[in-house]
Amino acid sequence: MGKIFKQLARHWAVCLVIFALLGVQAYCDLSLPDYTSKIVDMGIQQGGIQSTVPETVRDTTLQALELLMSEKDAALAEQWYSEPDENGVRTLAREATAAMPELEKAFTTPDIVLYMAAAQNAAAAQETTDTVAPTWTDLDAMTAQFAAMAQTPGFSREAVQQRLATAMAAVDDTVSESMASQAMLLVSLEYEAQGIAHQVQMDYLWQEGGRMLGLTLVMVAVAIAVGFLASRVSAAIGRDLRRETFSAVIGFSHAEIEQFSTASLITRTTNDIQQVQFVCVILLRMVAYAPILGIGGIVHVARSDTGLTWITFLAVAALLILIGVLMKIAMPKFKLMQTLVDRLNLVSREILTGIMPVRAFSREKFEEQRFDVANRELMQTQLFTNRTMAGMMPFMTLIMNGTSLLIVWFGGKAMDVGTMQVGEMIAFITYTMQIVMSFLMLAMVAVMLPRAGVAADRIDEVLHTPATIHDPAPEVAEKTLQRKKWPGVVRFENVSFRYPGADDDALEQISFTALPGQTTAIIGSTGCGKSTLLNLIPRFYDATGGRVTIDGVDVRDMPQHTLHDLLGYVPQKGVLFSGTIDSNLKFGGPQITDEDVHTAADIAQATEFIQAKPEGFQSPIAQGGTNVSGGQKQRLSIARAIAKHPRIYLFDDSFSALDYKTDVALRRALKAQTGDATVIIVAQRISTVLHANQILVLDEGRLVGIGTHAQLLESCPEYREIARSQLSQKELGLQKEDD
């Protein structure tokens, strides 16, 4: 996981912006349940009335309320209300906001008393002992009675206050909370009497609903911005990882390629990086958001003072136990999955690459079974993990629904005793679900992280595998770069080579010199080290003993770019790239002209079949050169090297697919073209090396003969044996008795 966070740290500025935006999104998300609670409790149940202090009040009602206040509270009320207008309505001053706590304290008890008196009046009018909801006419009747009472001789405000204080002291907390809502009902009756109750309610609903809509729009905009930025960051991480991985692989020698295998490197460059890229998006969009949302939900639940917080903690505990069990079961399988993907890719690549031998030997059924084994192992692992994750959802649903049931059950009891309102319960359920969903998101991500962690480790393994072939130190390379002329003298000085992990040397004490203007041929039995020897010159491998020099400079002291500019390499197996014939022949660099291409094609005996194609040099080449024959592919590979005009030509058994006539014509034309260049040829056929200036004979990694064809026939038994197996006695010039 540390490697994934290391990649995210490279884009720390954008990540900080994303975290800030997620904070805004969480604030909006956590604010919406509060607004829902306000709309239900205050907007619907209380008619949009937010305070026990009415915004507007008739003078008669205010006078009745003031009779139930102390002298100080009555003076405070008179201070903040305007004079009555033509309709006898008084308006609360806008500046009263600061004094609102004192005003609410002054108005609450009088509101309750006046409302209860109106309710008693309504019950008396209907001749019932049950509580009856009063109307504004009942309120008017009571205000008239209070006004008349104030005119009664001996009326004392202090006596009224003492009686109210005694009555309120006898009321317990539960009843007190229930009675507090009656203060709002008095304000509602007053607004009905003024004819503005509906308008007050709608104003409140529009106001709070507008805020909810605004928060929702902000949350949507922030979510879009977070998604956009997270996608850009993850795409940039994927791009950088692919670039770095491919750059590392390009610098690998054959040893590193064989260490990882081509199939594994392809999987790491594609599938593994996709896993890391996907998880980076999830980390930025979900993992960073879930803790913010969960902690915020817990804070809101803890502050709600509903007595139901224990339900939330019970749900979280059950959720953590479920996640822990699932992680213990599924985690090992997720770690195994990438290895199985690697194996499936390896088997697929082997079968598809060798499809012709598979068909030739009628091994289709066997290969199908081998593929099916790898495929089924991956399928079974994926099924196990998918079923495990699918099994988590019913348990998650059970926990969420059980939590909702507990909240509704105990919340209903709280509402019955008046300690909770409907909106509060809705908000509490919403916050609890947000907390549970936060843990669910973390659980889902926790399942993905192990696989992504394995993928990140595999990518990091490629990036941090040191290439055994590397450029020399700058001060050493500088001396090489200052050199202007390179005649092309190749010299092996007691060169030995051993493959990594091998017990024996593949080449032992090889020494020879290849001069410009001459052809040096290398021949020997299969597996004797011919191609290995040739591969030491372009540094596909480095010698483990002795040294290889070009014009007296050790190839290990030359920058690889400089070294390869001197070489024209034709591999044993012709390799072409998708594009056109022209683009393949110009593969050596932009300095190659059309004239160079046509000349090289003539020398490689490729012009005839190129011109036979409708589009000539612009004819398309399929991936891997599958739309040309083996001989045509080999000739194009030779032409590609010739077009570069190198100082040293390296032919690794590059004439094996050519017929004898084409081989002779090509070598004759090549001799004329490479008159002052060094030519080194690895070959199996005696006819290819017959006229070489010097022939090296290898046997089990040792140089057992060196000289011309005639000299080796006389002095080298190994060469004579190879020659006798390929040429007639007449061609060899030997007598039968010598056989």
Side-chain angles (χ1 to χ4, degrees):
M1 278 307 301
K3 297 178 178 66
I4 296 177
F5 288 116
K6 182 179 178 181
Q7 293 297 325
L8 289 171
R10 297 165 67 177
H11 304 271
W12 61 270
V14 182
C15 291
L16 287 178
V17 173
I18 290 174
F19 293 150
L21 290 174
L22 288 175
V24 174
Q25 182 181 352
Y27 172 79
C28 297
D29 209 352
L30 292 168
S31 298
L32 292 178
D34 283 337
Y35 281 99
T36 303
S37 175
K38 290 179 182 179
I39 287 175
V40 173
D41 293 340
M42 197 170 294
I44 297 175
Q45 290 187 323
Q46 296 181 7
I49 299 170
Q50 306 178 56
S51 174
T52 57
V53 182
E55 294 289 331
T56 60
V57 62
R58 293 174 298 168
D59 186 57
T60 53
T61 304
L62 182 60
Q63 295 301 326
L65 291 170
E66 288 178 351
L67 290 175
L68 301 171
M69 299 179 186
S70 65
E71 293 285 350
K72 180 182 177 182
D73 291 342
L76 182 66
E78 286 293 331
Q79 176 185 349
W80 292 108
Y81 276 100
S82 66
E83 293 297 325
D85 59 12
E86 62 274 9
N87 296 318
V89 176
R90 304 178 68 172
T91 304
L92 185 67
R94 294 183 179 274
E95 296 80 10
T97 305
M100 191 59 69
E102 296 181 31
L103 286 170
E104 288 180 344
K105 185 177 180 181
F107 271 85
T108 299
T109 301
D111 284 346
I112 295 172
V113 173
L114 188 57
Y115 179 81
M116 293 177 66
Q120 290 176 359
N121 185 70
Q126 296 184 24
E127 298 180 352
T128 179
T129 58
D130 296 332
T131 302
V132 178
T135 63
W136 63 271
T137 54
D138 296 314
L139 175 62
D140 285 348
M142 292 312 301
T143 55
Q145 290 183 22
F146 273 64
M149 182 179 64
Q151 302 299 324
T152 304
F155 173 79
S156 171
R157 190 188 299 270
E158 288 74 13
V160 173
Q161 290 295 309
Q162 289 178 359
R163 292 178 63 185
L164 287 177
T166 303
M168 295 303 294
V171 177
D172 60 24
D173 293 338
T174 303
V175 178
S176 177
E177 291 178 6
S178 176
M179 292 174 59
S181 62
Q182 295 178 355
M184 300 289 189
L185 296 176
L186 184 280
V187 178
S188 178
L189 284 179
E190 175 59 23
Y191 287 162
E192 285 180 12
Q194 298 177 37
I196 61 172
H198 179 71
Q199 183 63 39
V200 169
Q201 184 179 35
M202 293 308 299
D203 286 346
Y204 181 83
L205 292 175
W206 278 110
Q207 178 184 355
E208 297 302 316
R211 290 176 180 172
M212 284 188 72
L213 179 61
L215 286 173
T216 303
L217 293 177
V218 170
M219 189 168 63
V220 169
V222 169
I224 293 173
V226 168
F228 175 77
L229 292 175
S231 299
R232 284 187 64 88
V233 168
S234 63
I237 288 173
R239 176 201 64 201
D240 294 341
L241 284 176
R242 281 189 293 270
R243 180 187 298 155
E244 292 169 7
T245 304
F246 187 75
S247 178
V249 171
I250 284 292
F252 282 169
S253 67
H254 287 351
E256 286 81 48
I257 296 293
E258 292 167 1
Q259 172 189 339
F260 289 105
S261 84
T262 304
S264 179
L265 288 173
I266 292 173
T267 305
R268 295 172 197 239
T269 310
T270 54
N271 184 271
D272 288 354
I273 292 178
Q274 286 177 351
Q275 290 290 330
V276 172
Q277 185 174 334
F278 175 71
V279 165
C280 285
V281 173
I282 299 299
L283 285 173
L284 292 175
R285 297 188 64 179
M286 292 176 61
V287 176
Y289 185 61
I292 300 174
L293 189 64
I295 293 172
I298 291 173
V299 170
H300 277 76
V301 165
R303 289 168 52 188
S304 64
D305 195 24
T306 58
L308 304 180
T309 308
W310 63 273
I311 299 176
T312 303
F313 289 110
L314 179 64
V316 171
L319 193 60
L320 289 176
I321 293 172
L322 174 63
I323 293 171
V325 172
L326 289 175
M327 290 300 99
K328 187 173 181 61
I329 295 173
M331 198 75 73
K333 296 294 183 180
F334 276 102
K335 292 182 178 179
L336 177 63
M337 198 175 297
Q338 286 304 104
T339 304
L340 294 177
V341 171
D342 247 6
R343 182 180 175 188
L344 182 65
N345 285 343
L346 176 63
V347 172
S348 302
R349 193 174 189 279
E350 283 183 348
I351 295 173
L352 295 176
T353 303
I355 191 67
M356 300 305 290
V358 169
R359 291 176 180 172
F361 286 89
S362 299
R363 299 290 285 176
E364 291 91 344
K365 290 294 183 183
F366 174 79
E367 296 299 340
E368 285 179 11
Q369 291 174 359
R370 192 160 72 100
F371 177 84
D372 193 53
V373 169
N375 191 27
R376 283 184 176 277
E377 285 185 2
L378 178 60
M379 179 200 71
Q380 289 168 358
T381 304
Q382 289 176 332
L383 278 177
F384 181 86
T385 54
N386 290 340
R387 286 168 178 167
T388 302
M389 296 311 300
M392 182 174 71
M393 295 311 298
F395 289 104
M396 292 294 304
T397 305
L398 178 64
I399 292 173
M400 294 173 67
N401 291 339
T403 302
S404 300
L405 181 63
L406 287 175
I407 293 173
V408 171
W409 178 267
F410 289 99
K413 290 187 175 183
M415 285 189 291
D416 188 48
V417 297
T419 58
M420 177 182 276
Q421 296 185 10
V422 176
E424 287 180 318
M425 187 178 73
I426 294 173
F428 191 87
I429 292 175
T430 305
Y431 283 127
T432 303
M433 292 302 104
Q434 285 178 334
I435 295 168
V436 172
M437 289 303 297
S438 298
F439 280 91
L440 175 60
M441 285 191 286
L442 291 176
M444 297 295 290
V445 173
V447 170
M448 301 174 191
L449 288 181
R451 188 177 180 186
V454 172
D457 289 338
R458 285 158 50 88
I459 297 166
D460 194 66
E461 186 181 2
V462 175
L463 295 177
H464 288 87
T465 296
T468 54
I469 307 298
H470 50 79
D471 284 341
E475 58 273 12
V476 177
E478 185 64 29
K479 295 179 182 179
T480 305
L481 294 172
Q482 290 174 355
R483 186 162 182 168
K484 300 298 182 183
K485 292 185 178 181
W486 296 90
V489 179
V490 178
R491 180 173 286 111
F492 277 57
E493 301 175 1
N494 297 318
V495 172
S496 297
F497 174 75
R498 179 177 298 184
Y499 283 102
D503 296 327
D504 300 316
D505 287 340
L507 295 173
E508 297 180 23
Q509 301 295 315
I510 305 295
S511 297
F512 70 91
T513 301
L515 298 174
Q518 296 185 2
T519 299
T520 298
I522 306 172
I523 197 168
S525 59
T526 301
C528 67
K530 302 185 297 296
S531 295
T532 302
L533 186 148
L534 196 71
N535 286 337
L536 296 179
I537 300 173
R539 294 190 69 198
F540 295 157
Y541 295 102
D542 270 343
T544 53
R547 66 177 193 151
V548 180
T549 66
I550 294 179
D551 297 324
V553 179
D554 194 323
V555 292
R556 289 170 290 195
D557 294 336
M558 300 173 64
Q560 294 182 69
H561 181 74
T562 303
L563 171 63
H564 296 155
D565 281 346
L566 299 174
L567 306 177
Y569 175 72
V570 184
Q572 189 171 11
K573 180 182 178 182
V575 177
L576 298 180
F577 300 92
S578 57
T580 63
I581 292 176
D582 183 74
S583 67
N584 271 275
L585 297 189
K586 291 180 178 178
F587 194 72
Q591 77 282 359
I592 299 175
T593 63
D594 291 341
E595 183 180 354
D596 294 331
V597 167
H598 289 83
T599 302
D602 287 338
I603 296 170
Q605 309 301 303
T607 302
E608 183 178 351
F609 82 80
I610 292 175
Q611 291 180 343
K613 294 180 177 292
E615 299 178 56
F617 282 88
Q618 299 304 318
S619 299
I621 294 293
Q623 182 181 3
T626 55
N627 59 339
V628 293
S629 68
Q632 291 172 344
K633 187 187 300 185
Q634 203 164 65
R635 279 178 278 172
L636 289 175
S637 298
I638 294 170
R640 178 173 60 197
I642 295 171
K644 187 180 175 184
H645 298 297
R647 295 302 309 152
I648 303 167
Y649 288 88
L650 305 176
F651 297 100
D652 187 2
D653 199 13
S654 308
F655 307 100
S656 58
L658 305 181
D659 60 85
Y660 183 77
K661 178 183 176 182
T662 304
D663 186 3
V664 172
L666 192 154
R667 284 188 287 108
R668 184 181 297 116
L670 185 63
K671 180 65 176 176
Q673 171 70 18
T674 61
D676 60 344
T678 303
V679 179
I680 302 177
I681 299 174
V682 169
Q684 297 282 355
R685 297 190 307 203
I686 288 288
S687 59
T688 304
V689 304
L690 198 61
H691 302 289
N693 298 96
Q694 67 173 349
I695 302 172
L696 309 180
V697 184
L698 292 182
D699 184 45
E700 295 185 357
R702 297 187 304 274
L703 185 61
V704 296
I706 182 169
T708 63
H709 171 68
Q711 292 170 343
L712 291 172
L713 283 176
E714 294 290 335
S715 62
C716 183
E718 289 84 359
Y719 182 80
R720 191 161 51 242
E721 183 179 348
I722 296 171
R724 283 175 174 172
S725 68
Q726 298 184 22
L727 301 177
S728 66
Q729 293 291 325
K730 183 178 179 180
E731 290 172 313
L732 290 172
L734 299 174
Q735 299 298 324
K736 287 185 179 181
E737 55 268 18
D738 294 335
D739 194 304

